[in-house]
């Protein structure tokens, strides 16, 4: 049995705090159990010592307080304490804390100071590349990474930054490969774990997404997105008690987070619902897969356009057509057919399966007709209506509700009313406001608004 790391010994009983201390803190927190609570207690003890410490000791205590607050996720407090120290380690983590607060210019200055004070230049450059990317200066970030190729053999952070650039440039497959390399080098790289969870979440692979998100929880500081996405996945998989704990943790970190408060209320309300028989749960999940829009999957433009012309919008639609029908469509060849087969196989389905097995593959709802107001639009506006709803960049909860409602294009979304959206499971006022805000940015409104 693994021996529990004594965090108090490494932080409270040792006078100095260095990179080795941080490494042990990470290891200790990854053990779970009561370690996070122990770090809270250490933080309180350090604060009491700091308040009464002489000037000769206050900087060392400020560095320790910066580290404990950083790993507890209290970034503003961490910044406050790191600003009091001038050691390379303190300046480097000041930069990381400021970046977490989205104060990118100040973060870049802190990293510059860390390098001048003697912190590892390659590690500083990786952080500078990250800041540039977050500021939208992709080419400058790429230029820095291009000079750090020697790090590829041992730096998880290098591969994470390469993945982040690939995401910005729309190269999803390349991004996933880089993220997997990052986690292979360092299984505790929480940002890489989060993005792998997110990509699995997008693909509807809930079990894998949950596994990655749960791993993130072992390696603080924990991104709020981890708790939101994990809580929603727990809720979708009827684990309402776990969902509630995620939203409670969000509220503990920020009592004014109204979104987390609403989600917690939903999860707690679901705890009191009558249990659903296992066969009904299976049927519900199965139908959710059938309702997945084809636009959620990576297909060539030719395949997408052909399916759209044939009126095939969901995986369920593909179970209700034959391979021969697909091949008879203009411009649809064997390459496109191979693509579609791969997507169906990933979701344990086959083209034409409904033709063989019958009613369980019937659509749960008729495809919503495009509203009359869109029928005679000019070509440019009609093109807007045909754009995938994924371009709205909705949060996980809102996106899943779009899938459940069979809404795959902006035109289909605009044909719905606010009340129709609110009728969907887990789609509340917060998600509705989010959708409306996104549409308003495009000069659009829901039907009836």
């Amino acid at each position: 049995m693994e021996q529990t790391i004594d965090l108090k010994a490494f932080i409270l009983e040792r006078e100095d705090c260095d990179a080795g201390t941080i490494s042990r803190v990470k290891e200790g927190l990854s053990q779970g159990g009561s370690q996070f609570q122990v770090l809270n207690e250490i933080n309180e003890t350090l604060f009491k010592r700091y308040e009464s410490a002489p000037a000769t000791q206050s900087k060392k205590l400020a560095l320790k307080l910066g580290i404990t607050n950083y790993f507890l996720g209290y970034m503003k407090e961490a910044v406050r304490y790191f600003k009091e120290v001038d050691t390379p380690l303190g300046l480097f983590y000041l930069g990381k804390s400021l970046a977490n607060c989205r104060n990118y210019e100040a973060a870049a200055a802190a990293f510059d100071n860390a390098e001048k004070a003697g912190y590892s230049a390659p590690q500083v450059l990786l952080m500078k590349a990250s800041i540039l990317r977050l500021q939208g200066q992709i080419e400058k970030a790429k230029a820095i990474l291009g000079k750090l190729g020697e790090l590829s053999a041992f730096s998880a952070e290098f591969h994470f930054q390469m993945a982040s650039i690939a995401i910005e440039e729309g190269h999803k497959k390349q991004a996933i490969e880089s993220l997997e390399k990052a986690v292979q080098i360092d299984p505790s790289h929480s940002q890489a774990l989060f993005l792998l969870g997110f990509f699995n979440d997008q693909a509807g692979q809930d079990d894998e997404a949950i596994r990655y998100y749960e791993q993130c929880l072992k390696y603080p500081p924990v991104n709020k997105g981890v708790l939101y996405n994990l809580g929603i996945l727990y809720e979708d998989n009827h684990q309402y008690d776990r969902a509630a704990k995620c939203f409670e943790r969000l509220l503990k970190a920020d009592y004014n987070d109204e979104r987390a408060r609403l989600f917690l209320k939903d999860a707690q309300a679901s705890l009191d619902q009558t249990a659903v028989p296992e066969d009904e749960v299976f049927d519900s999940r199965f139908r959710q897969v059938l309702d997945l829009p084809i636009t959620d999957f990576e297909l060539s433009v030719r395949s997408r356009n052909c399916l759209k012309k044939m009126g095939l919008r969901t995986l369920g639609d593909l179970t209700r057509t034959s391979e021969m029908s697909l091949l008879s469509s203009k411009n649809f060849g064997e390459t496109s057919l191979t693509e579609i087969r791969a997507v169906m196989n990933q979701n344990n389905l086959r083209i034409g399966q409904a033709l063989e097995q019958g009613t369980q593959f019937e659509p749960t709802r008729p495809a919503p007709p495009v509203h009359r107001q869109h029928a005679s639009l000019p070509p440019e506006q009609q093109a807007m209506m045909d754009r995938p709803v994924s371009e709205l960049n909705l949060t996980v909860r809102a996106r899943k509700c779009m899938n459940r409602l069979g809404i795959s294009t902006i035109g289909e979304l605009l044909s719905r009313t606010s009340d129709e959206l609110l009728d969907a499971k887990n789609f509340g006022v917060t998600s509705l406001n989010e959708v409306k805000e996104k549409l308003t940015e495009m000069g659009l409104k829901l039907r009836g608004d």
Side-chain angles (χ1 to χ4, degrees), residues 7-18 21-22 25 39 42-43 46-47 49-50 57-72 78 81-82 85 87 89-90:
L7 292 176
K8 290 184 178 179
F10 278 97
I11 301 174
L12 293 178
E13 295 174 17
R14 294 187 178 185
E15 183 177 356
D16 294 319
C17 179
D18 54 24
T21 308
I22 289 177
V25 169
L39 190 64
I42 292 170
N43 191 53
L46 285 171
F47 179 71
R49 291 182 183 178
Y50 171 82
Q57 292 295 316
S58 63
K59 283 192 175 183
K60 289 184 177 182
L61 289 169
L63 176 59
K64 290 182 178 182
L65 276 166
I67 295 299
T68 54
N69 277 281
Y70 177 84
F71 284 105
L72 289 170
Y81 292 114
F82 284 135
V85 301
T87 63
L89 182 70

